[in-house]
Amino acid sequence: MWGQSCHPFGHVVRACLLTSALCISGSLPIASASSTSLTVRVNGFRSQSGQLCLSLYSKAKDFPSSTSGAMQAQCLNAETPTITFQNLSSGSYAVAVFHDANGDGTLNRNPIGIPTEGFGFSRNPRILTGPPAFSDSAVFVAGPGQNIDIKLNYML
């Protein structure tokens, strides 16, 4: 579904440019006996075109640069900006999202690497010179379910 070029943080992190994004390599369900869930609502769209791609992470070492590190990942129509990640164990999770406005499966950037499409993270951390740390984006999920809002950032 996603090409090898879909790794939006790789060269940007190395170049220390102002950016944030994620890459989705497919949906990876997790197995758990828990009924905990995390519902994410994304707002701040410039348009409703394209798709919204979200990835859920449970480990700091994978967030958000590892394309294979997402526990669950999904893209949905941008007109439906809410998703629920089901069957989670209690614990800390971080969500990375991007608005793939043109539907090409990648976070598009300008020639110097700054994203031209919207992106965001759980807890809406301030974006300075690169993606936030897991600890700046992590939310603790416990009980029957939790709801969070993520506001998209547009750099250009």
Side-chain angles (χ1 to χ4, degrees), residues 5-68:
S5 65
C6 184
H7 196 292
F9 278 114
H11 76 281
V12 176
V13 172
R14 286 188 298 271
C16 295
L17 295 174
L18 177 62
T19 185
S20 296
L22 63 117
C23 179
I24 296 175
S25 60
S27 181
L28 302 172
I30 60 171
S32 173
S34 175
S35 63
T36 300
S37 64
L38 176 63
T39 299
V40 180
R41 184 176 57 194
V42 180
N43 54 58
F45 289 88
R46 285 189 179 164
S47 75
Q48 296 297 310
S49 63
Q51 60 185 354
L52 180 64
C53 297
L54 301 97
S55 289
L56 178 73
Y57 296 84
S58 65
K59 298 177 184 170
K61 73 177 184 81
D62 295 331
F63 178 80
S65 60
S66 172
T67 60
S68 62

Side-chain angles (χ1 to χ4, degrees), residues 71-83:
M71 293 180 60
Q72 294 185 31
Q74 184 173 348
C75 290
L76 55 134
N77 188 306
E79 294 177 0
T80 311
T82 302
I83 185 172

Side-chain angles (χ1 to χ4, degrees), residues 139-150:
V139 294
F140 187 76
V141 177
Q146 182 167 339
N147 301 318
I148 63 170
D149 290 313
I150 296 178

